[in-house]
Amino acid sequence: MSIVSIRNVEKRFGKLEVLKDISLEVADGEIISVIGSSGSGKSTLLRCLTRLETVNGGTIVIDGDTMVETTDGKPVYAKEAVLKQIRLKTGLVFQNFNLFPHYTVLRNITEAPIHVAGQSREEATAEARRLLKKLGLEDKEDAYPCQLSGGQSQRVSIARALALKPKILFFDEPTSALDPELTGEVLRVIRSLTDLHMTMVIVTHEMAFAREISDRIIFMDQGVIVEDGTPEEVFGSENPRTREFLGNYNQSSI
Amino acid sequence: MTAEALYKLFWFMLEASGMTVKIFFFTLLFGLPLGLLVAVGRMSKFALIREPIKLYLLIMRGTPLILQLMFFCYAPYYIVGSTMSRVSAAILAFTLNYAAYFCEIYRSGIESIPAGQREAATILGFTKAQTFFKIILPQVIKRVLPPMGNEFMVLVKDTALANVIGVAELYQMATKNMSRSASILPLIMAGVFYLIMNAIVSKAFGCAEKRLDYYS
Ligand SMILES: Nc1ncnc2c1ncn2[C@@H]1O[C@H](COP(=O)(O)OP(=O)(O)O)[C@@H](O)[C@H]1O
Ligand SMILES: [Mg+2]
């Protein structure tokens, strides 16, 4: 059974069609990587799934709740209560972390569990400390974001997302803002999350990582899904667009 | 001037400073929240809210403050036939005028916060109000401190304009005293008083900026 169901989703910015009739099913617990060149609509897809953007057409169902449905060409979003429920089930890790600079690491993580999910301060703090330990940041709880390296910042932002116990976690190029030597520590952390059996959709340019971690890989090009298959299928694809994209990657990584 | 006269002058001017400080504080008390409210309205996606606010900003920033003071002092009499105290009229004029400038300072502060901050808060499930008061506003305050410091210092000096509607503030008392005592000393003393007030304002902003220095 799908935990994320996307049917015929369309998104335009003015005249620019960024998502063209995207359909995708994600099974519960599945780990999916989304690859594709810059401007192909990967971020926009995640932003539509997390309601940072509204779609121009199509249907999105998340964990049984319909977020948006299109009848007679008009997308209609669910009631606020349903949207709120969906919100609690999904998290998003940004490329630029977007940590709150005026809060300590600990408060960055506990603020939403306390003020959104209604947890007690003790409960939220204990959970935050457990997550910081898991992500190797136990000595950073009193630090401010400006005192962290990029890799540490991204790990804090992952902890912040995990603190709300989402069923689905979206990552938008979580290592693209990092130096190569810091990329590894963040990828290791994401890899360590696989034992939580959480559904993960990861937009990434780290091909080796995508190949190793994913159950499925989606290749997007100019707003359409060109490939949807196992890593073996996608990396062995005969499709010329796919081969060209992956070929560029092989060249640039040599 | 005798020592006794000097002593009397000093107390007299200190009392007049009280009025200056009063106008200053009430303008901030009403003007700072009003400016924030106006800034939020100015950024509204509804033209019905945004456009009247733009007109208000144009009028307040596009006409002389001294004229606005006269207007709020005398308009109530000519329009509804009643009056309010001169001090109230002065505070009203200063509040409406300064709120316009505060609005633009807040707005530039709010617009300078990266969109990612609001997006991260949205994803975490914060309501619009929580996002504004917990995430956006604290960062805005840090960013607007320097221009606000400027504005506060200008306000200290602008209070002198209240003399045109006969409010007994520092400048008016100084000029009256000058002609009465045929001495330039009252003016110099008034200058020193303004300077001390602004030194305090400047120091306070320095401290506030330092306090918020713990993050960037
Ligand atoms: N808010 C926006 N307004 C206008 N165009 C946008 C906006 N966001 C993205 N785009 C455009 O949509 C296309 C896809 O962008 P994006 O989803 O960010 O691609 P990707 O993440 O795959 O690099 C690009 O051409 C981009 O310029
Ligand atoms: Mg992107």
Side-chain angles (χ1 to χ4, degrees), chain A residues 42-43 95 172-173:
Chain A
K42 307 179 298 295
S43 296
Q95 181 176 341
D172 192 359
E173 301 196 25

Side-chain angles (χ1 to χ4, degrees), chain B residues 1-12 189:
Chain B
M1 203 177 254
T2 64
E4 195 195 346
L6 200 67
Y7 181 77
K8 269 175 82 173
L9 177 66
F10 173 81
W11 283 105
F12 186 71
M189 203 179 269

Side-chain angles (χ1 to χ4, degrees), chain A residues 47 50 52 87 90-92 94 98-103 107 111-112 115-116 144 146 160-161 164, chain B residues 114-127 130 133-136 138-139 214-216:
Chain A
R47 292 170 63 84
T50 49
L52 291 178
R87 178 76 81 213
T90 54
L92 173 62
F94 298 87
N98 292 332
L99 293 176
F100 304 130
H102 55 307
Y103 287 163
R107 190 147 177 217
E111 201 67 4
H115 296 285
V116 176
Y144 284 91
C146 61
R160 180 175 71 175
L164 286 167
Chain B
Q117 290 289 306
R118 188 170 263 116
E119 291 176 356
T122 304
I123 293 289
L124 292 171
F126 289 116
T127 61
Q130 284 175 324
F133 288 107
K134 281 176 176 296
I135 308 300
I136 307 297
Q139 298 184 55
Y214 65 88
Y215 75 88
S216 56

